Amino acid sequence: MDRGRSERPSSAAGAPIGDVAVLRRCSLFAALSIADLRAVYRDARRCRIAKGSVVFRQGDPAGTVYVLIGGQVKLVRAGARGRQLILGFLQPPDVFGYVALLHGTNLYAAWATEDGEALTWNAPTMLRLMRTFPTIALNGLRSIAERIEADWGRLQDFATATVAQRLARALVGLARSTGEAAVALPRQDLAEYVGTTPPTLSRILGRWKHRGIVSATRDTIFIPRLDELKVAAEDTGLPASGGRGGAGQRTLRTHRHHLRDSGACF
């Protein structure tokens, strides 16, 4: 177990209403009955995750499936020469560690960006639950297919969308995932996620701030005019600093990766 994590069994006497509600919203457990969700919960362990801690590292053997019930987790994949790609930022009730269960090793690292908690199942337990409740396995396959579609959309964005469009889509998606008109992320992380630099990010935010679409502190971007940011995500009429990531059409749909209503599964 990495430093910053502590685990304890969930109560077998009865699942807290809040935890069952989180599981009910989780894509991996969609369509399970309340009784089945309680059975799933009884096999879980509760894990505290400290801000800045490593939940698991890229290349670690698959061992645990996590459902985030509080806090935020950043997924990072390291490449050649130490360069890294931020795959996403997870919020409750997102799932991570699931793909590794099928692959055998973790294909990315998971870092806690806030203090939080997760419900966890070790690999043998989750595989047994999938045999007991085949819907879990079907939900996992569906989530993986949606993840592939979303990643293709993100690749398309990097090739064809402006930096301003990519930033707008990321902010809209992150705001939707938290249910708040604000995004709390370090500028460096947000810049890496949308494929730009902090100075370019600041220039775009400055133009949007001048129009009253956003306001910002050091690590939080507030979005008082979310509808206008959604317009920018589709086909921005705002001045776009930083240019395009490549040639292609100017109007792109907002990808499911950025506008999700249920928990993602990684």
Side-chain angles (χ1 to χ4, degrees):
M1 183 184 303
D2 285 304
R3 183 177 299 176
R5 290 175 48 200
S6 61
E7 292 186 352
R8 65 182 188 274
S10 60
S11 171
I17 294 175
D19 288 352
V20 172
V22 170
L23 292 183
R24 195 173 189 182
R25 290 166 45 220
C26 175
S27 61
L28 192 60
F29 304 118
L32 290 184
S33 68
I34 294 294
D36 290 346
L37 288 173
R38 290 182 179 276
V40 169
Y41 179 86
R42 283 194 293 271
D43 284 332
R45 298 181 69 88
R46 184 181 292 269
C47 172
R48 293 187 182 275
I49 307 172
K51 180 178 179 179
S53 65
V54 180
V55 184
F56 54 76
R57 301 180 187 277
Q58 183 175 327
D60 283 352
T64 305
V65 176
Y66 300 79
V67 172
L68 197 62
I69 59 175
Q72 184 183 73
V73 169
K74 174 176 69 174
L75 304 184
V76 178
R77 182 168 173 83
R81 301 177 182 177
R83 298 189 64 179
Q84 66 178 29
L85 173 68
I86 296 178
L87 302 177
F89 300 93
L90 305 186
Q91 309 283 347
D94 288 342
V95 182
F96 58 108
Y98 178 81
V99 174
L101 189 69
L102 307 178
H103 184 269
T105 59
N106 286 297
L107 302 177
Y108 50 83
W111 298 74
T113 57
E114 299 175 359
D115 289 335
E117 286 189 294
L119 295 176
T120 72
W121 296 261
N122 63 32
T125 299
M126 181 54 68
L127 290 171
R128 175 175 55 78
L129 288 171
M130 290 165 65
R131 290 191 293 269
T132 303
F133 306 109
T135 298
I136 296 176
L138 292 174
N139 288 339
L141 290 174
R142 185 178 298 110
S143 294
I144 290 172
E146 292 175 353
R147 180 76 256 145
I148 292 171
E149 178 189 2
D151 287 344
W152 285 350
R154 192 177 176 202
L155 285 173
Q156 181 182 358
D157 277 357
F158 276 117
T160 63
T162 66
V163 175
Q165 284 176 308
R166 295 200 300 268
L167 177 57
R169 290 171 186 171
L171 292 175
V172 169
L174 290 166
R176 282 281 295 272
S177 69
T178 62
E180 299 178 2
V183 174
L185 281 178
R187 296 289 180 91
Q188 182 66 43
D189 281 354
L190 185 57
E192 289 182 11
Y193 183 59
V194 300
T196 190
T197 62
T200 298
L201 186 81
S202 294
R203 285 196 296 271
I204 297 172
L205 290 175
R207 296 191 183 198
W208 292 350
K209 182 179 179 180
H210 180 71
R211 297 175 65 97
I213 295 174
V214 303
S215 62
T217 61
R218 181 177 177 181
D219 288 336
T220 304
I221 298 170
F222 301 94
I223 313 169
R225 292 161 66 178
L226 186 59
D227 287 343
E228 290 195 37
L229 194 62
K230 290 177 182 178
V231 172
E234 289 300 319
D235 187 9
T236 180
L238 302 173
S241 296
R244 306 176 76 129
Q249 72 271 24
R250 187 165 183 79
T251 302
L252 300 172
R253 70 184 182 280
T254 303
H255 301 294
R256 187 178 307 182
H257 170 64
H258 292 308
L259 294 180
R260 63 191 181 197
D261 292 311
S262 59
C265 185
F266 285 81

